[in-house]
Amino acid sequence: MMGFSWKLFYLIGILFWGFSQRWRTVESNGGSFSCGYPAIYNFGDSNSDTGGISAVMFEILSPNGETFFGHPAGRACDGRLIIDFIAENLKLPYLSAYLDSVGTNFWHGANFATGGSSIRPPGYSPFNLWVQISQFIQFKARTTSLYNQLTLNRRNPLTISNLPRPAEFSQALYTFDIGQNDLAHGFQYTTVKQVLASIPDIIGQLPQVIHTLYNEGARFFWVHNTGPIGCLPVSVLYEMSKPWNLDKNGCVRLQNEVAMEFNRQLKDMISQLRAQLPFARFTYVDVYSAKYTLVSDAKNLGFVEAVNFCCGNCTKKGMANGTVYGNPCNHPSKHISWDGIHYSQAANMWVAERILNGSFSDPPLSIQSACHNQTTIL
């Protein structure tokens, strides 16, 4: 009789979980069901850092943030990043940086990305991906404990309103945009051949990262591949005197080839994780192709040539030979590159509009529907 009771409770639990997952979804205007993610937890580098590195190492100053926020907002950009457009698309607030102690709200997620971060050390930042994962584990444990304590004692509801709901960690979207600095650091301090040889070890870190998050309850993963690093003005300018190293769009050919090999191995790894974790949902997002399309067709899309950036040395103003450095261009929205390394808000918006609808995703689902299907496109 006891065995039967346990089996009955087990079946009821499974049915309740299934219904709760269905109730969690909401119907979109198109008639399909949206995943209704209650939160986003992001891991990455300066491409998605919303204030981490600015809070703990060096302040990101004006004119960063001028286009949208009207003041510096912890982002190496004149405005919003792709992660901000992801939040807007999912109707969630912009993510507070985990490392920022002022004015933060973690009810709808947290951002562990920091400028300069890489998947593995060494790199430009001490906050590599494993450090970010450790921060998340501590964040989850401490906020869960505090939330339960405050709820039990019926403490100040305003305090609770800044905390994530423990049950929502398994319903949240976990986003990744990291790897560019692993390649950039390699190009700067080693050879192209050595960078290529390092890729299996770099990618090899990710399965353990994903399994660690899975064991913490994560189920929905949105993974960006790395962009065309050879198209960044900072890369191109070093090769301008060697035009044979550039492709037809003025990008550094070898660097982009390395990035594409990185992405090929990343996609293979995602396929393996799908087999290992059948109850998780993985979306591989081809940011490389979206960004390269933008660079290739810059003029037709209303931008200046991709090699031209808006603001050189944006965090420090100075004068040399009568030229003032640090002042931004008059029309940031006409530039793909904000500062030679990071994309402008206009470019981020263009890329976000194309990746969030599933056009560059595997499987080809919008971000709002990415929790539903595990099918892989071969």
Side-chain angles (χ1 to χ4, degrees), residues 214-268:
Y214 186 88
N215 291 336
E216 292 290 330
R219 292 296 181 269
F220 308 114
F221 301 93
W222 179 269
V223 183
H224 292 184
N225 67 12
T226 198
I229 187 172
C231 295
L232 298 179
V234 70
S235 299
V236 175
L237 291 175
Y238 281 110
E239 301 290 335
M240 291 289 281
S241 62
K242 307 171 187 175
W244 55 87
N245 288 343
L246 307 179
D247 67 14
K248 63 180 181 180
N249 293 305
C251 301
V252 182
R253 183 181 294 104
L254 277 178
Q255 290 191 4
N256 279 352
E257 288 175 356
V258 172
M260 287 188 286
E261 176 58 22
F262 177 97
N263 293 337
R264 185 190 67 78
Q265 294 187 33
L266 175 63
K267 188 173 185 180
D268 287 345

Side-chain angles (χ1 to χ4, degrees), residues 65-126:
E66 65 170 21
T67 298
F68 182 78
F69 300 100
H71 55 79
R75 295 154 173 81
C77 180
D78 62 308
R80 289 164 290 179
L81 309 176
I82 291 176
I83 189 65
D84 295 314
F85 292 111
I86 289 176
E88 287 183 4
N89 185 278
L90 298 179
K91 296 180 172 53
L92 294 173
Y94 298 136
L95 293 183
S96 292
Y98 168 76
L99 293 173
D100 193 354
S101 60
V102 180
T104 51
N105 188 321
F106 299 118
W107 183 358
H108 295 290
N111 194 353
F112 298 88
T114 53
S117 293
S118 53
I119 294 174
R120 65 170 194 174
Y124 301 113
S125 164

Side-chain angles (χ1 to χ4, degrees), residues 85-336:
F85 292 111
I86 289 176
E88 287 183 4
N89 185 278
L90 298 179
K91 296 180 172 53
L92 294 173
Y94 298 136
L95 293 183
S96 292
Y98 168 76
L99 293 173
D100 193 354
S101 60
V102 180
T104 51
N105 188 321
F106 299 118
W107 183 358
H108 295 290
N111 194 353
F112 298 88
T114 53
S117 293
S118 53
I119 294 174
R120 65 170 194 174
Y124 301 113
S125 164
F127 302 104
N128 63 69
L129 183 56
W130 274 114
V131 173
Q132 295 179 28
I133 297 302
S134 296
Q135 291 170 339
F136 169 79
I137 292 171
Q138 183 178 171
F139 171 85
K140 178 173 178 279
R142 294 180 64 187
T143 56
T144 297
S145 176
L146 180 59
Y147 181 89
N148 291 337
Q149 179 184 349
L150 292 174
T151 302
L152 182 65
N153 296 331
R154 300 178 181 237
R155 295 288 179 86
N156 187 351
L158 293 178
T159 303
I160 296 178
S161 69
N162 290 332
L163 299 175
R165 278 47 181 165
E168 293 181 348
F169 281 103
S170 62
Q171 302 169 359
L173 182 65
Y174 291 77
T175 56
F176 293 81
D177 192 331
I178 194 167
Q180 178 175 305
N181 287 319
D182 293 88
L183 303 184
H185 191 270
F187 290 140
Q188 185 173 355
Y189 295 104
T190 67
T191 66
V192 169
K193 185 176 180 180
Q194 288 173 306
V195 177
L196 277 169
S198 72
I199 292 175
D201 184 62
I202 296 170
I203 298 297
Q205 307 291 313
L206 295 175
Q208 191 175 349
V209 165
I210 297 297
H211 279 271
T212 299
L213 290 175
Y214 186 88
N215 291 336
E216 292 290 330
R219 292 296 181 269
F220 308 114
F221 301 93
W222 179 269
V223 183
H224 292 184
N225 67 12
T226 198
I229 187 172
C231 295
L232 298 179
V234 70
S235 299
V236 175
L237 291 175
Y238 281 110
E239 301 290 335
M240 291 289 281
S241 62
K242 307 171 187 175
W244 55 87
N245 288 343
L246 307 179
D247 67 14
K248 63 180 181 180
N249 293 305
C251 301
V252 182
R253 183 181 294 104
L254 277 178
Q255 290 191 4
N256 279 352
E257 288 175 356
V258 172
M260 287 188 286
E261 176 58 22
F262 177 97
N263 293 337
R264 185 190 67 78
Q265 294 187 33
L266 175 63
K267 188 173 185 180
D268 287 345
M269 184 273 291
I270 295 294
S271 296
Q272 294 169 21
L273 285 169
R274 288 191 180 109
Q276 296 168 12
L277 302 171
F279 295 107
R281 295 293 177 264
F282 294 93
T283 304
Y284 170 87
V285 186
D286 189 5
V287 171
Y288 180 101
S289 292
K291 288 183 174 179
Y292 194 78
T293 298
L294 173 60
V295 169
S296 302
D297 205 25
K299 288 187 176 180
N300 290 332
L301 294 171
F303 293 92
V304 299
E305 289 186 7
V307 72
N308 295 324
F309 50 93
C310 179
C311 182
N313 197 12
C314 288
T315 59
K316 183 178 181 181
K317 290 188 178 182
M319 180 175 288
N321 298 325
T323 301
V324 177
Y325 292 92
N327 287 329
C329 61
N330 292 326
H331 303 288
S333 63
K334 298 295 184 182
H335 289 258
I336 291 174

